[in-house]
Amino acid sequence: VAVLLSVPCPSLCCQCGVPIPPNPANMCVGCLRAQVDITEGIPKQGTVHFCKQCERYLQPPGTWIHCALESRELLALCLKKIKASLSKVRLIDAGFIWTEPHSKRLKLKLTVQKEVINGAVLQQVFVVEYIVQSQMCEDCHRIEAKDFWKAVVQVRQKTVHKKTFYYLEQLILKHRLHQNTLRIKEIHDGLDFYYSSKQHAQKMVDFLQCTVPSRSKSSQRLISHDIHSNVYNYKSTFSVEIVPICKDNVVCLSPKLAQSLGNMSQICVCIRVTSTIHLIDPRTLQIAEIDGNTYWRHPFNSLFHPKQLEEFIIMDINRVHEKKKGAGAGARSNKHTLAEAWVRKTSELDTDHQYFCCTHLGHILNPGDLVLGFDLANCNLNDEFANKMNPQHIPDVVLIKKSYDRSKRQRRRNWKLKELERDREATDTDDERQYQEFLEDLEEDETIRKNVNIYRNADIPVESDTDDDGAPRISLAEMLEDLHISQDATGGEGAEMLT
């Protein structure tokens, strides 16, 4: 049985006569492309607008977005510009052709398909070139026009010490909340943060209320009004007031507040300020935390300024291991030790006058140590609650912290902190002294140190602890390595490219 196999015979192109496999158009690919151009109507050139200041691309009609070179976001932005003309063809593939980054050119390689004569499908590859033109965005334009801010956050604290602001500065740096600020201005009693939108300012206010005990209020001022489009232009102002209590302050609580905190003594010491005010009773080691709402309901003030600290010498000290709790007493501190001490002012060493006091620093004090404290026996207290107290309940001396050689601590300090870039007023020597005290507080308090990014200072070598005088120090394990990018690392002239 013979089987006849049908083999398709090649046909001739109707244009040039070249033998080709049969197809519905009866034309070769060359003649078909000469007769039909499926990319007709698709622009081969375009324009992309780029802002040099903020490095963003314009996505019409008025959105500016961040896009890296040859990224998916930038590819989508370029394709949207020719989306209407691509509706008549089928897009198969799209990608970038490499161009010099500084050439101000973007080239896209597109592959499209379309059904042409008698159902034949033609596929074609072509290049679309975009010219990158510089155009300043609206936000950068407002900055250059000096009419840039739409909202300002005014942070204030009615104290003579800036410890809370130094701590707040480190929290802002750690959480990177300074990135949206247009300008930071430092004044004598606080900081001003300027923003281009009200939403960014509100985010900063929410952060401050969760970080430090404070209260806030807002207001807005009408700048302009377009009666045709009913558009209003406002400038908003947020005022944030931080409680006027800092670390190492001696405070006098109201009788009602002291009773609600577990029958604490009215005279207390502030050991730290975080999201709450941490207080300790130096006579019983009882501790309490006061949030911002509680403080504004029962406000109290500091009895002394930091400049009124006096230096005492420990003549004798006895640690109290057990002390009976009073009725309704609250929690006690496990990090402190209660002690009874006899002290004498270093300015009165030629006399025999000594003072007796109870202190919460029994775990670090020994006879002969120097300690800083406040003299309540020889001062004139001008406080609403202290004037009404029984004089027998007011201690003669309140010890605050142990005194170390500041110059030696400063030489040994092999770490550093970063600072916010801000417009400063004229600084004086007192600001430097307060900053050094804040650095000492970081060394002494591990709780505050956990919220701060501490960087190792490579310029100061690590010293041995053989001649250590007992001053608290920060270990290397708690420090971060600061990033330094040198010119050679980018592959400069005569240098090998680092990988």
Side-chain angles (χ1 to χ4, degrees):
V1 179
V3 178
L4 180 62
L5 299 176
S6 60
V7 179
C9 298
S11 60
L12 300 179
C13 176
C14 64
Q15 293 289 334
C16 61
V18 176
I20 58 172
N23 60 66
N26 288 328
M27 278 194 241
C28 64
V29 176
C31 295
L32 188 60
R33 287 180 176 175
Q35 294 290 327
V36 180
D37 183 13
I38 64 174
T39 64
E40 184 180 3
I42 302 176
K44 305 303 187 295
Q45 285 189 341
T47 303
V48 175
H49 297 282
F50 177 73
C51 179
K52 293 181 179 179
Q53 276 75 8
C54 59
E55 297 182 351
R56 294 186 298 176
Y57 290 89
L58 175 62
Q59 179 176 325
T63 307
W64 293 83
I65 59 175
H66 288 279
C67 297
L69 288 176
E70 300 188 6
S71 63
R72 296 177 59 183
E73 293 79 8
L74 186 57
L75 180 63
L77 188 147
C78 295
L79 290 177
K80 283 182 180 179
K81 289 185 171 293
I82 56 175
K83 181 179 180 181
S85 56
L86 288 175
S87 60
K88 298 179 181 180
V89 296
R90 181 184 179 188
L91 182 63
I92 302 300
D93 187 25
F96 283 99
I97 299 177
W98 187 86
T99 56
E100 178 67 32
H102 301 288
S103 63
K104 299 293 183 181
R105 296 293 187 274
L106 297 174
K107 291 185 178 181
L108 263 65
K109 181 180 179 181
L110 304 180
T111 303
V112 294
Q113 286 182 352
K114 185 179 180 181
E115 185 176 340
V116 290
I117 303 173
N118 296 328
V121 177
L122 183 63
Q123 179 172 311
Q124 193 169 343
V125 179
F126 65 101
V127 176
V128 179
E129 182 178 0
Y130 291 92
I131 301 175
V132 181
Q133 292 187 352
S134 299
Q135 177 179 334
M136 187 177 293
C137 66
E138 183 180 356
D139 296 336
C140 296
H141 183 75
R142 293 177 64 87
I143 294 175
E144 294 297 326
K146 305 302 181 184
D147 184 26
F148 50 91
W149 65 272
K150 289 186 177 180
V152 59
V153 180
Q154 299 174 341
V155 187
R156 300 291 184 267
Q157 187 182 31
K158 298 177 181 178
T159 58
V160 296
H161 204 287
K162 298 181 179 179
K163 282 185 178 181
T164 306
F165 284 105
Y166 291 137
Y167 174 66
L168 191 61
E169 176 185 15
Q170 298 303 317
L171 291 178
I172 293 174
L173 285 169
K174 182 173 183 177
H175 295 279
R176 305 178 68 85
L177 285 179
H178 62 290
Q179 290 184 331
N180 294 326
T181 57
L182 301 174
R183 178 191 176 197
I184 302 177
K185 183 180 180 181
E186 178 181 352
I187 58 177
H188 66 283
D189 60 347
L191 294 171
D192 290 345
F193 298 88
Y194 294 90
Y195 294 91
S196 60
S197 66
K198 185 178 178 180
Q199 290 76 13
H200 292 156
Q202 185 64 54
K203 183 179 179 181
M204 171 60 83
V205 173
D206 296 340
F207 172 77
L208 293 175
Q209 291 181 338
C210 297
T211 304
V212 290
S214 59
R215 62 180 177 181
S216 65
K217 58 183 180 180
S218 61
S219 63
Q220 58 184 11
R221 182 175 51 139
L222 180 63
I223 303 300
S224 62
H225 174 213
D226 189 350
I227 61 175
H228 301 288
S229 60
N230 202 26
V231 174
Y232 293 84
N233 183 18
Y234 289 99
K235 280 193 174 182
S236 304
T237 301
F238 296 87
S239 177
V240 180
E241 183 181 359
I242 304 176
V243 295
I245 305 298
C246 294
K247 185 180 182 296
D248 298 336
N249 282 164
V250 177
V251 299
C252 183
L253 308 179
S254 64
K256 185 177 180 180
L257 179 59
Q259 184 180 7
S260 65
L261 296 176
N263 291 327
M264 289 184 67
S265 299
Q266 290 184 244
I267 303 294
C268 297
V269 178
C270 177
I271 53 177
R272 77 176 62 89
V273 177
T274 54
S275 57
T276 57
I277 304 173
H278 298 256
L279 300 178
I280 188 170
D281 184 356
R283 296 195 293 180
T284 61
L285 296 187
Q286 189 172 335
I287 55 176
E289 296 184 12
I290 300 176
D291 58 6
N293 294 331
T294 304
Y295 175 84
W296 298 117
R297 287 198 305 267
H298 306 281
F300 52 87
N301 298 315
S302 175
L303 299 181
F304 298 94
H305 298 303
K307 293 182 180 179
Q308 296 175 289
L309 277 171
E310 297 186 65
E311 192 176 57
F312 296 84
I313 185 170
I314 302 295
M315 306 304 296
D316 190 16
I317 186 169
N318 295 319
R319 291 167 179 81
V320 180
H321 298 288
E322 294 183 3
K323 189 162 185 175
K324 186 178 179 181
K325 278 190 176 183
R332 291 185 178 181
S333 174
N334 297 324
K335 298 182 180 180
H336 300 83
T337 302
L338 184 62
E340 297 176 346
W342 287 93
V343 297
R344 181 184 296 179
K345 290 184 181 180
T346 55
S347 59
E348 299 177 354
L349 292 179
D350 54 344
T351 65
D352 295 334
H353 192 191
Q354 296 186 11
Y355 301 89
F356 175 79
C357 64
C358 293
T359 179
H360 60 290
L361 303 176
H363 57 295
I364 58 175
L365 294 181
N366 294 297
D369 288 344
L370 297 177
V371 61
L372 298 177
F374 294 107
D375 181 8
L376 279 73
N378 301 316
C379 69
N380 184 15
L381 293 178
N382 186 16
D383 185 79
E384 176 186 0
F385 305 120
N387 294 336
K388 298 178 181 180
M389 286 183 62
N390 188 342
Q392 296 181 355
H393 297 163
I394 300 179
D396 293 339
V397 172
V398 177
L399 302 182
I400 300 299
K401 58 182 179 180
K402 188 175 179 180
S403 178
Y404 300 97
D405 187 355
R406 175 167 294 176
S407 60
K408 185 181 292 186
R409 294 181 70 173
Q410 192 170 352
R411 289 195 306 267
R412 290 180 176 178
R413 191 169 291 133
N414 58 344
W415 54 274
K416 60 184 178 179
L417 301 176
K418 291 187 176 181
E419 297 184 5
L420 289 174
E421 295 183 1
R422 56 187 183 270
D423 300 336
R424 298 175 180 266
E425 292 183 346
T427 58
D428 51 12
T429 56
D430 189 53
D431 291 343
E432 180 62 27
R433 180 188 62 82
Q434 294 181 16
Y435 186 71
Q436 292 299 325
E437 291 181 4
F438 170 70
L439 298 182
E440 294 173 1
D441 291 342
L442 288 180
E443 294 174 338
E444 297 170 3
D445 196 339
E446 183 181 357
T447 305
I448 298 179
R449 201 161 59 233
K450 291 180 180 179
N451 301 328
V452 176
N453 285 341
I454 300 173
Y455 298 91
R456 184 176 179 271
N457 190 355
D459 299 334
I460 300 178
V462 180
E463 295 183 0
S464 62
D465 297 337
T466 56
D467 57 344
D468 194 0
D469 58 351
R473 302 172 67 178
I474 298 179
S475 63
L476 290 175
E478 300 179 76
M479 302 181 192
L480 303 175
E481 288 289 343
D482 197 5
L483 179 63
H484 295 283
I485 301 179
S486 61
Q487 187 67 25
D488 292 340
T490 60
E493 183 178 356
E496 297 182 356
M497 181 67 73
L498 300 180
T499 59

